[in-house]
Amino acid sequence: MSKAKFKSGFVAIVGRPNVGKSTLMNHIIGQKIAIMSDKPQTTRNKIHGVYTSESMQIVFLDTPGIHKRQSKLGDYMNTTALNTLGEVEAVLFLVDVAEGLGGGDRFIIERLKGVGTPVILVLNKIDRVEPEQLLPIMEEYRKLYEFAEIVPISAKLGNNVNTLIEQIGKYLPEGPQYYPEDQVTDHPEQFVCAELIREKILHLTREEVPHSIAVTIEDMRVQENGVVYISAVIFVERDSQKGIIIGKRGALLKEVGKLARQDIENLLGSKIFLELWVKVKKDWRNQERILRDLGFHQDA
């Protein structure tokens, strides 16, 4: 009996902001590489996550949530998400069944109609609705687009995620193993560290601050004692936001550092010394040069 051929390919995860794209990818990968927050538009870059089993390797692209733009950064996020669709073997269109079909979903479906790639509709957050509600929801989406598959899941609880992986496998061609089996992302460690710091700020702040921040790693090196030294800069748009991030007597910034340090030590598997700085770059989200400096490059 001949051995089954190994399959591999690239799969994009698209959907409105805050429908659980990063939660799903982190669950599949088994490690946090995409940051999670209850605030929309958390993901700004395509995050490459790698899932490897004995029979296949899936490289996931977790795209920014497609949304109505409000800045040049918003343009970048939408363009990044939409350009991804032509580069992959399959597209996962993730929706929140608890919220129901909305204008944002219709907007994305219209964009999907111009793509020849198979689209799998993933009905997420099924733990938040009654089972009998699922069939009418499926029918509602099916009327708008001919999906290759429809798979209900709970990314948070892991319900039916293995079935989703099996369905994705049907659309992958025979191919090579692009990454070693123990590699879960192709992003450099600096990128993931910066994202983990940004995640903690998102959790600890509110209102206008979250979307006004960017984080860069200025220095990262192993010291003689084996501790990894990391110096990170948190950019904000206004002086008032700088005060919020630092907090009274530096309390909020210390809490960001404490929480981020725990995740980064888990990621790197070693002790770290983390220094955080807060700087003001006025209106950086609308300045192309600053966006390029911070790593937001428009796809060609």
Side-chain angles (χ1 to χ4, degrees):
M1 193 170 173
S2 62
K3 188 180 176 183
K5 298 283 187 180
F6 191 82
K7 291 182 165 188
S8 62
F10 293 79
V11 174
I13 308 177
V14 301
R16 284 183 296 146
N18 214 26
V19 293
K21 299 184 295 297
S22 297
T23 305
L24 174 60
M25 190 168 68
N26 288 339
H27 180 88
I28 292 173
I29 303 305
Q31 186 174 329
K32 182 190 285 186
I33 59 169
I35 73 172
M36 296 180 291
S37 165
D38 59 0
K39 299 172 178 68
Q41 301 166 37
T42 298
T43 302
R44 288 177 177 165
N45 294 270
K46 288 188 296 186
I47 310 287
H48 291 237
V50 185
Y51 166 84
T52 308
S53 69
E54 290 184 3
S55 60
M56 70 176 114
Q57 184 170 82
I58 309 169
V59 183
F60 287 98
L61 282 63
D62 175 18
T63 63
I66 298 171
H67 62 288
K68 188 175 179 181
R69 57 89 63 194
Q70 294 177 319
S71 64
K72 285 186 182 293
L73 176 59
D75 282 341
Y76 163 83
M77 291 163 69
N78 278 344
T79 302
T80 297
L82 294 170
N83 283 355
T84 300
L85 305 184
E87 305 169 358
V88 295
E89 274 67 51
V91 174
L92 303 186
F93 174 35
L94 208 66
V95 301
D96 181 345
V97 292
E99 286 195 4
L101 177 63
D105 292 324
R106 294 177 189 275
F107 175 83
I108 295 169
I109 288 170
E110 285 305 309
R111 299 305 180 276
L112 292 174
K113 288 178 180 177
V115 179
T117 310
V119 179
I120 299 173
L121 175 64
V122 184
L123 302 172
N124 191 26
K125 306 188 184 182
I126 59 171
D127 52 298
R128 294 176 56 192
V129 298
E130 296 300 323
E132 59 268 21
Q133 292 177 263
L134 283 177
L135 203 56
I137 292 170
M138 286 184 193
E139 287 303 318
E140 198 175 12
Y141 280 96
R142 196 180 274 126
K143 287 174 185 174
L144 299 176
Y145 188 88
E146 194 171 328
F147 295 100
E149 310 283 345
I150 299 178
V151 184
I153 68 159
S154 169
K156 183 179 178 181
L157 302 179
N159 296 352
N160 220 31
V161 173
N162 287 340
T163 300
L164 175 60
I165 292 170
E166 289 172 13
Q167 295 302 316
I168 293 168
K170 290 164 54 175
Y171 298 92
L172 299 182
E174 291 178 11
Q177 184 173 312
Y178 294 104
Y179 298 97
E181 60 186 42
D182 60 348
Q183 186 170 342
V184 295
T185 183
D186 69 347
H187 274 297
E189 288 173 340
Q190 288 94 327
F191 173 86
V192 182
C193 291
E195 286 289 272
L196 290 173
I197 294 166
R198 190 165 68 90
E199 177 188 55
K200 305 314 171 193
I201 300 167
L202 290 176
H203 281 311
L204 295 171
T205 58
R206 61 171 76 90
E207 294 163 4
E208 85 282 4
V209 174
H211 304 311
S212 303
I213 61 166
V215 180
T216 61
I217 303 298
E218 300 279 287
D219 190 10
M220 185 172 176
R221 62 181 186 273
V222 181
Q223 301 178 129
E224 287 184 7
N225 60 2
V227 174
V228 179
Y229 170 78
I230 300 173
S231 175
V233 176
I234 301 162
F235 290 105
V236 294
E237 290 186 316
R238 295 193 294 277
D239 292 325
S240 61
Q241 294 165 346
K242 181 177 179 178
I244 292 169
I245 297 294
I246 294 172
K248 191 175 182 180
R249 296 180 182 171
L252 193 136
L253 193 62
K254 283 178 185 173
E255 185 67 11
V256 168
K258 185 182 89 173
L259 296 174
R261 192 179 301 113
Q262 292 168 358
D263 274 0
I264 294 171
E265 287 184 344
N266 289 337
L267 173 75
L268 302 180
S270 61
K271 289 287 183 185
I272 70 159
F273 180 81
L274 178 62
E275 272 193 322
L276 297 177
W277 308 90
V278 186
K279 295 183 180 179
V280 178
K281 273 188 184 284
K282 294 191 186 299
D283 198 31
W284 67 263
R285 285 181 293 174
N286 282 305
Q287 297 185 41
E288 289 183 11
R289 182 184 60 77
I290 293 175
L291 288 171
R292 283 197 303 272
D293 289 347
L294 291 173
F296 300 109
H297 301 284
Q298 285 281 14
D299 290 345

